[in-house]
Amino acid sequence: MNTQQIQEVLTHLIIGITALYTIVMVVDFVVEIVNLWQKFILNIEYHINHTISEQSHLESSDIKKSLKLENQNQSTNHITSKPELQPDNFVSIDVDKIDLRTARKIASAIKKASKSNPDLIIKQKVNNKCVPLAWLQAQIKHRLELAPEIVTPIIRELAPTAFTSVRENIQHSNIAKTGKRKVS
């Protein structure tokens, strides 16, 4: 073989290798485009299904809310049909009247009384520092909302001054109003 024939064979070999690599790259590109398209379609289907499930969840929660409102309305109707209680029986708790020492005692008593429910426990130290009175009062008020059947007797025993009846509140507001009238 002479040099010219060798050169032509090498040229054809380079052209063949280049064509082969080009074909492999085009096939790989097409496969990746198809893959990406399938992922895109799956993503759209997921979002459509997710939004539909969210809408159905919202609709079911709306239905539950309306059922709760109907139940509350029915229970309110039952309550209004019963004889009304005397105003002396209504008692409110003014947590702001509780001092620091009493608040700590209440927190300890709640901890002892709620061994079965650790959510009611009030921490008296955070980061090895005693918590302030306002924080304790806020926690007591929150626990009072969560479990009044546990917390109310404890407050009644340890801080009786925090209890006020509605009649006392009415008398205090009347005194304040008459006091203002006398001043003017």
Side-chain angles (χ1 to χ4, degrees), residues 109-177:
I110 291 172
K111 183 177 182 178
K112 289 177 187 173
S114 64
K115 289 185 180 180
S116 62
N117 189 357
D119 294 336
L120 295 178
I121 295 174
I122 300 173
K123 293 187 177 186
Q124 295 186 41
K125 285 191 175 186
V126 176
N127 295 332
N128 289 328
K129 292 185 179 180
C130 293
V131 294
L133 173 62
W135 190 85
L136 278 173
Q137 289 172 338
Q139 294 300 313
I140 291 170
K141 189 178 289 186
H142 179 66
R143 297 319 188 273
L144 188 60
E145 293 170 0
L146 289 176
E149 67 280 353
I150 295 174
V151 180
T152 303
I154 293 172
I155 295 175
R156 185 179 308 273
E157 179 183 333
L158 296 174
T161 58
F163 280 87
T164 56
S165 68
V166 172
R167 177 167 284 203
E168 288 176 8
N169 289 339
I170 292 170
Q171 288 174 349
H172 290 302
S173 64
N174 287 340
I175 291 171
K177 287 178 185 176

Side-chain angles (χ1 to χ4, degrees), residues 37-142:
W37 183 254
Q38 288 175 346
K39 287 180 182 178
F40 178 73
I41 295 297
L42 288 175
N43 196 9
I44 288 176
E45 289 175 0
Y46 169 77
H47 285 295
I48 289 172
N49 290 339
H50 189 68
T51 0
I52 290 171
S53 68
E54 279 183 358
Q55 287 175 349
S56 65
H57 176 70
L58 289 174
E59 289 172 358
S60 67
S61 67
D62 288 341
I63 291 170
K64 288 178 185 175
K65 285 179 184 176
S66 66
L67 288 175
K68 283 182 183 177
L69 286 175
E70 288 175 8
N71 289 340
Q72 287 177 352
N73 289 341
Q74 290 174 354
S75 64
T76 305
N77 290 342
H78 293 299
I79 290 172
T80 54
S81 64
K82 293 180 182 177
E84 294 184 15
L85 299 173
Q86 295 297 325
D88 290 337
N89 295 342
F90 292 104
V91 175
S92 65
I93 300 174
D94 187 6
V95 178
D96 296 332
K97 289 183 179 179
I98 300 174
D99 63 344
L100 181 62
R101 185 173 180 176
T102 308
R104 290 186 187 284
K105 288 180 183 179
I106 291 171
S108 297
I110 291 172
K111 183 177 182 178
K112 289 177 187 173
S114 64
K115 289 185 180 180
S116 62
N117 189 357
D119 294 336
L120 295 178
I121 295 174
I122 300 173
K123 293 187 177 186
Q124 295 186 41
K125 285 191 175 186
V126 176
N127 295 332
N128 289 328
K129 292 185 179 180
C130 293
V131 294
L133 173 62
W135 190 85
L136 278 173
Q137 289 172 338
Q139 294 300 313
I140 291 170
K141 189 178 289 186
H142 179 66

